[in-house]
PDB file of all heavy atoms in Angstrom:
ATOM      1  N   HIS A 159      42.199 -36.537 -48.744  1.00 98.00           N
ATOM      2  CA  HIS A 159      41.646 -37.277 -49.901  1.00 98.00           C
ATOM      3  C   HIS A 159      40.275 -37.871 -49.457  1.00 98.00           C
ATOM      4  O   HIS A 159      39.731 -37.572 -48.438  1.00 98.00           O
ATOM      5  CB  HIS A 159      42.592 -38.281 -50.524  1.00 98.00           C
ATOM      6  CG  HIS A 159      43.022 -39.348 -49.591  1.00 98.00           C
ATOM      7  ND1 HIS A 159      42.201 -40.446 -49.379  1.00 98.00           N
ATOM      8  CD2 HIS A 159      44.131 -39.544 -48.847  1.00 98.00           C
ATOM      9  CE1 HIS A 159      42.809 -41.305 -48.548  1.00 98.00           C
ATOM     10  NE2 HIS A 159      43.980 -40.781 -48.123  1.00 98.00           N
ATOM     11  N   ARG A 160      39.699 -38.816 -50.330  1.00 98.00           N
ATOM     12  CA  ARG A 160      38.342 -39.144 -50.233  1.00 98.00           C
ATOM     13  C   ARG A 160      38.104 -40.604 -49.674  1.00 98.00           C
ATOM     14  O   ARG A 160      36.941 -41.099 -49.728  1.00 98.00           O
ATOM     15  CB  ARG A 160      37.557 -38.978 -51.545  1.00 98.00           C
ATOM     16  CG  ARG A 160      37.725 -37.602 -52.209  1.00 98.00           C
ATOM     17  CD  ARG A 160      37.268 -36.584 -51.257  1.00 98.00           C
ATOM     18  NE  ARG A 160      37.377 -35.238 -51.821  1.00 98.00           N
ATOM     19  CZ  ARG A 160      36.370 -34.543 -52.485  1.00 98.00           C
ATOM     20  NH1 ARG A 160      35.186 -35.124 -52.620  1.00 98.00           N
ATOM     21  NH2 ARG A 160      36.558 -33.355 -52.999  1.00 98.00           N
ATOM     22  N   LEU A 161      39.143 -41.269 -49.215  1.00 98.00           N
ATOM     23  CA  LEU A 161      39.016 -42.641 -48.730  1.00 98.00           C
ATOM     24  C   LEU A 161      39.288 -42.674 -47.206  1.00 98.00           C
ATOM     25  O   LEU A 161      40.282 -42.259 -46.754  1.00 98.00           O
ATOM     26  CB  LEU A 161      40.021 -43.594 -49.373  1.00 98.00           C
ATOM     27  CG  LEU A 161      39.970 -43.689 -50.899  1.00 98.00           C
ATOM     28  CD1 LEU A 161      41.071 -44.532 -51.459  1.00 98.00           C
ATOM     29  CD2 LEU A 161      38.540 -44.215 -51.425  1.00 98.00           C
ATOM     30  N   ALA A 162      38.176 -43.154 -46.494  1.00 98.00           N
ATOM     31  CA  ALA A 162      38.213 -43.096 -45.013  1.00 98.00           C
ATOM     32  C   ALA A 162      37.756 -44.380 -44.426  1.00 98.00           C
ATOM     33  O   ALA A 162      37.140 -45.193 -45.066  1.00 98.00           O
ATOM     34  CB  ALA A 162      37.314 -41.946 -44.588  1.00 98.00           C
ATOM     35  N   VAL A 163      38.109 -44.504 -43.122  1.00 98.00           N
ATOM     36  CA  VAL A 163      37.714 -45.683 -42.420  1.00 98.00           C
ATOM     37  C   VAL A 163      36.394 -45.488 -41.684  1.00 98.00           C
ATOM     38  O   VAL A 163      36.264 -44.491 -40.917  1.00 98.00           O
ATOM     39  CB  VAL A 163      38.796 -46.085 -41.406  1.00 98.00           C
ATOM     40  CG1 VAL A 163      38.343 -47.184 -40.503  1.00 98.00           C
ATOM     41  CG2 VAL A 163      40.109 -46.545 -42.157  1.00 98.00           C
ATOM     42  N   SER A 164      35.495 -46.405 -41.939  1.00 98.00           N
ATOM     43  CA  SER A 164      34.098 -46.318 -41.288  1.00 98.00           C
ATOM     44  C   SER A 164      34.245 -46.775 -39.800  1.00 98.00           C
ATOM     45  O   SER A 164      35.122 -47.657 -39.503  1.00 98.00           O
ATOM     46  CB  SER A 164      33.216 -47.271 -42.068  1.00 98.00           C
ATOM     47  OG  SER A 164      31.870 -46.989 -41.749  1.00 98.00           O
ATOM     48  N   PRO A 165      33.453 -46.294 -38.922  1.00 98.00           N
ATOM     49  CA  PRO A 165      33.476 -46.826 -37.485  1.00 98.00           C
ATOM     50  C   PRO A 165      33.102 -48.301 -37.539  1.00 98.00           C
ATOM     51  O   PRO A 165      32.055 -48.690 -38.132  1.00 98.00           O
ATOM     52  CB  PRO A 165      32.387 -45.961 -36.821  1.00 98.00           C
ATOM     53  CG  PRO A 165      31.490 -45.444 -37.854  1.00 98.00           C
ATOM     54  CD  PRO A 165      32.361 -45.321 -39.099  1.00 98.00           C
ATOM     55  N   MET A 166      33.856 -48.978 -36.721  1.00 98.00           N
ATOM     56  CA  MET A 166      33.552 -50.477 -36.608  1.00 98.00           C
ATOM     57  C   MET A 166      33.876 -50.951 -35.198  1.00 98.00           C
ATOM     58  O   MET A 166      35.032 -50.926 -34.759  1.00 98.00           O
ATOM     59  CB  MET A 166      34.403 -51.298 -37.543  1.00 98.00           C
ATOM     60  CG  MET A 166      33.775 -51.298 -38.975  1.00 98.00           C
ATOM     61  SD  MET A 166      34.834 -52.242 -40.200  1.00 98.00           S
ATOM     62  CE  MET A 166      36.171 -51.138 -40.391  1.00 98.00           C
ATOM     63  N   CYS A 167      32.848 -51.456 -34.532  1.00 98.00           N
ATOM     64  CA  CYS A 167      33.022 -51.920 -33.154  1.00 98.00           C
ATOM     65  C   CYS A 167      34.004 -53.183 -33.202  1.00 98.00           C
ATOM     66  O   CYS A 167      33.894 -53.971 -34.113  1.00 98.00           O
ATOM     67  CB  CYS A 167      31.715 -52.493 -32.637  1.00 98.00           C
ATOM     68  SG  CYS A 167      30.550 -51.202 -32.229  1.00 98.00           S
ATOM     69  N   THR A 168      34.850 -53.244 -32.174  1.00 98.00           N
ATOM     70  CA  THR A 168      35.734 -54.405 -32.087  1.00 98.00           C
ATOM     71  C   THR A 168      35.482 -55.216 -30.847  1.00 98.00           C
ATOM     72  O   THR A 168      36.010 -56.302 -30.717  1.00 98.00           O
ATOM     73  CB  THR A 168      37.190 -53.861 -32.017  1.00 98.00           C
ATOM     74  OG1 THR A 168      37.319 -52.985 -30.962  1.00 98.00           O
ATOM     75  CG2 THR A 168      37.656 -53.199 -33.352  1.00 98.00           C
ATOM     76  N   TYR A 169      34.571 -54.793 -29.981  1.00 98.00           N
ATOM     77  CA  TYR A 169      34.286 -55.527 -28.794  1.00 98.00           C
ATOM     78  C   TYR A 169      35.576 -55.937 -27.982  1.00 98.00           C
ATOM     79  O   TYR A 169      35.658 -57.083 -27.575  1.00 98.00           O
ATOM     80  CB  TYR A 169      33.436 -56.782 -29.150  1.00 98.00           C
ATOM     81  CG  TYR A 169      32.257 -56.314 -29.978  1.00 98.00           C
ATOM     82  CD1 TYR A 169      32.292 -56.392 -31.338  1.00 98.00           C
ATOM     83  CD2 TYR A 169      31.042 -55.795 -29.329  1.00 98.00           C
ATOM     84  CE1 TYR A 169      31.205 -55.931 -32.084  1.00 98.00           C
ATOM     85  CE2 TYR A 169      29.993 -55.360 -30.159  1.00 98.00           C
ATOM     86  CZ  TYR A 169      30.086 -55.450 -31.476  1.00 98.00           C
ATOM     87  OH  TYR A 169      28.991 -55.063 -32.255  1.00 98.00           O
ATOM     88  N   ALA A 170      36.465 -54.919 -27.842  1.00 98.00           N
ATOM     89  CA  ALA A 170      37.803 -55.272 -27.308  1.00 98.00           C
ATOM     90  C   ALA A 170      37.996 -54.478 -26.027  1.00 98.00           C
ATOM     91  O   ALA A 170      39.092 -54.447 -25.488  1.00 98.00           O
ATOM     92  CB  ALA A 170      38.882 -55.015 -28.331  1.00 98.00           C
TER      93      ALA A 170
END
Side-chain angles (χ1 to χ4, degrees):
H159 62 79
R160 307 302 179 98
L161 300 176
V163 170
S164 197
M166 280 178 287
C167 290
T168 56
Y169 308 94

